[in-house]
Amino acid sequence: MVSVPVKPKVNKHAPVSRRWLRDILAALYRIRPATRADVASHAKLNNASVSRGLQQLDGAGIIRKVGKLDSRGGRPREVISLEPSACTFIAMDLEGVTVRCTLTDLLGNFRLRWEEQVSLGQALPVERVFAGIDVLLRDATPAQRERVQAIGVSFPGLLDEQGCLTAVNLGWHDVPLERLLTERYRLPVFLERDEATCIRAERSHGLAKQARDWMYLIVSNGIGVGFVVDGRHVSGHTKMSGELGHVTVDPHSTIQCQCGKYGCLETIASTPAILRQYGELTGSTASSLACIRLAEIFERARRGEVSALAVVKRAAEALGFTLSYAVNLLNPELILLGGDIVCGQDLILPWIRSEIARHALPQLASAVSFAVSDLGPDIRLRGAASLAFHRCLRDPSLLARLCRIA
């Protein structure tokens, strides 16, 4: 008598693996919207696991059906999306001369926002940051307040092992921001350096969704770069990779950088450096220079003004020269540009390309493409919201709360 193995019965009511839920939510956040097949492929799960996970998320009100796609020779395929109102996050951007925070929905869409101008280098009282969050919570609906899951913060500067933040643009030194926010709002708080949050935003909302090896260059009051290698953001041993602005490009310079060194890229190609050099060439007074914005210098360069063309060309060539080293080292497929220089892309990009072609290996220089971020000045807010969402997925207790698991 031949024995036939009995196929074990699947308990459809057994708890769904939290790992499945995490991977399904991550897939839906990135694809938005998606079919079940899309989710299975992105999350690397079989169809049965995806179906059970989606059933639980649907019952908890975390997802919704948004339509159907025609299928050749079969039933129409359902198109699924995260339910935006299922939960909210607070996102904060501490970069530049404007501090911003926003209340976002589950998909990262802005529902409420607050911002305040700051004076570069002058100490910003932490209470002003609290005031911004307080405004958001005051103006939110009861449901939005109740569903806040976490706070995500994009910051410039340095964060030590004790969670203390030093940020020159805010005049902060060893400010325990994470602890202060946690104590005040009783919410999980996640902090990440600004170039990393830009990387997150581009992967979730921007032009780098399909790229595996790429770089994000941001030029504003400082200069930084984020590296993605084989699909993973490279943050470095002490989480400080990307300080491209402090590469020495002019060893004979007498201009001191805010880091204390001389001849850094930031002293030539950052926004303040371009404005300073333009003032030096034109003999502008400090008061008249204070009224000029970078976009205006780009416009003057387009009109052929010699001084404007000279400083823009020097900045672009310095950027291209420095990036050529990164191209030789990392062989990226894409370099994304963001920050203040976006408004001068027509001038900046050709000179950057030319310098990379001059200094990088031809095979590597020809393999890289360029694009300009279309996420605008809110890119770090989008990245901070994405940070809060993904960190909640990684924490079992926060994931359970998000998915309404008892």
Side-chain angles (χ1 to χ4, degrees):
M1 188 175 192
V2 179
S3 62
V4 178
V6 179
K7 186 176 181 179
K9 293 183 179 180
V10 176
N11 182 0
K12 295 183 179 180
H13 302 289
V16 176
S17 163
R18 294 189 183 185
R19 182 183 66 82
W20 295 354
L21 296 177
R22 179 199 68 196
D23 294 345
I24 290 169
L25 287 169
L28 286 171
Y29 192 87
R30 190 163 185 181
I31 302 173
R32 61 173 72 187
T35 64
R36 291 172 186 258
D38 293 332
V39 174
S41 175
H42 190 87
K44 295 181 173 56
L45 295 171
N46 60 44
N47 292 334
S49 300
V50 170
S51 293
R52 287 183 59 202
L54 290 175
Q55 185 177 18
Q56 177 160 332
L57 293 172
D58 185 35
I62 308 299
I63 63 171
R64 63 176 178 173
K65 298 169 185 176
V66 295
K68 291 185 178 181
L69 293 177
D70 292 335
S71 179
R72 296 177 181 175
R75 293 183 303 173
R77 295 172 295 164
E78 288 182 338
V79 180
I80 304 155
S81 173
L82 294 174
E83 170 54 54
S85 63
C87 66
T88 56
F89 298 95
I90 294 172
M92 184 181 303
D93 172 21
L94 300 178
E95 173 63 39
V97 295
T98 304
V99 173
R100 300 180 175 93
C101 58
T102 180
L103 184 77
T104 77
D105 62 22
L106 180 54
L107 286 171
N109 301 310
F110 298 169
R111 296 307 180 191
L112 298 166
R113 66 183 300 153
W114 170 92
E115 61 182 51
E116 180 169 305
Q117 296 292 118
V118 299
S119 298
L120 189 64
Q122 292 187 11
L124 174 72
V126 179
E127 288 72 20
R128 290 304 305 149
V129 176
F130 294 161
I133 297 177
D134 291 344
V135 168
L136 297 180
L137 295 176
R138 181 198 67 199
D139 294 343
T141 66
Q144 288 173 330
R145 282 195 297 272
E146 180 184 346
R147 293 173 182 172
V148 177
Q149 303 292 311
I151 300 173
V153 181
S154 172
F155 70 88
L158 306 174
L159 189 71
D160 66 19
E161 294 180 356
Q162 288 70 45
C164 292
L165 175 61
T166 296
V168 173
N169 68 309
L170 302 175
W172 286 2
H173 181 73
D174 290 340
V175 174
L177 184 63
E178 181 179 349
R179 177 175 62 79
L180 293 173
L181 289 172
T182 301
E183 290 176 351
R184 183 177 179 92
Y185 298 103
R186 302 299 176 187
L187 288 167
V189 177
F190 305 108
L191 278 72
E192 190 170 65
R193 293 191 72 203
D194 51 0
E195 83 279 351
T197 52
C198 289
I199 291 287
R200 284 185 182 275
E202 290 293 349
R203 295 173 83 169
S204 298
H205 306 276
L207 302 175
K209 289 184 178 181
Q210 306 303 322
R212 297 285 297 172
D213 297 276
W214 57 284
M215 297 160 48
Y216 178 84
L217 172 73
I218 184 166
V219 179
S220 56
N221 289 321
I223 299 174
V225 65
F227 301 107
V228 177
V229 177
D230 196 23
R232 299 175 64 88
H233 174 227
V234 179
S235 57
H237 174 57
T238 59
K239 312 299 182 186
M240 284 186 60
S241 71
E243 290 291 348
L244 195 75
H246 299 293
V247 171
T248 301
V249 292
D250 183 1
H252 305 295
S253 173
T254 59
I255 304 298
Q256 187 175 28
C257 181
Q258 62 179 358
C259 73
K261 297 195 310 172
Y262 292 84
C264 292
L265 178 64
E266 279 189 12
T267 66
I268 297 173
S270 67
T271 299
I274 293 174
L275 293 172
R276 187 201 74 242
Q277 293 168 96
Y278 182 76
E280 291 170 352
L281 285 180
T282 59
S284 303
T285 63
S287 58
S288 62
L289 192 61
C291 300
I292 298 176
R293 297 291 179 264
L294 186 61
E296 186 174 344
I297 293 180
F298 286 135
E299 187 55 39
R300 293 181 183 186
R302 292 185 186 99
R303 296 198 301 263
E305 184 184 307
V306 174
S307 297
L309 273 170
V311 296
V312 172
K313 185 174 186 289
R314 186 179 187 224
E317 289 180 343
L319 287 168
F321 173 75
T322 312
L323 284 171
S324 69
Y325 287 89
V327 169
N328 276 345
L329 288 170
L330 298 175
N331 185 25
E333 61 187 285
L334 171 68
I335 297 178
L336 264 176
L337 273 65
D340 296 343
I341 61 171
V342 166
C343 61
Q345 58 179 290
D346 55 320
L347 298 169
I348 292 280
L349 263 178
W351 283 317
I352 288 179
R353 290 175 185 270
S354 176
E355 286 301 293
I356 290 177
R358 284 183 61 198
H359 299 289
L361 287 174
Q363 301 93 323
L364 302 181
S366 62
V368 63
S369 61
F370 296 84
V372 175
S373 173
D374 59 1
L375 295 182
D378 287 333
I379 183 171
R380 288 176 292 270
L381 282 176
R382 296 191 182 281
S386 177
L387 167 69
F389 170 79
H390 284 97
R391 289 292 175 86
C392 283
L393 297 190
R394 286 168 48 179
D395 185 297
S397 62
L398 298 180
L399 175 63
R401 180 175 177 232
L402 191 153
C403 296
R404 322 282 201 264
I405 299 174

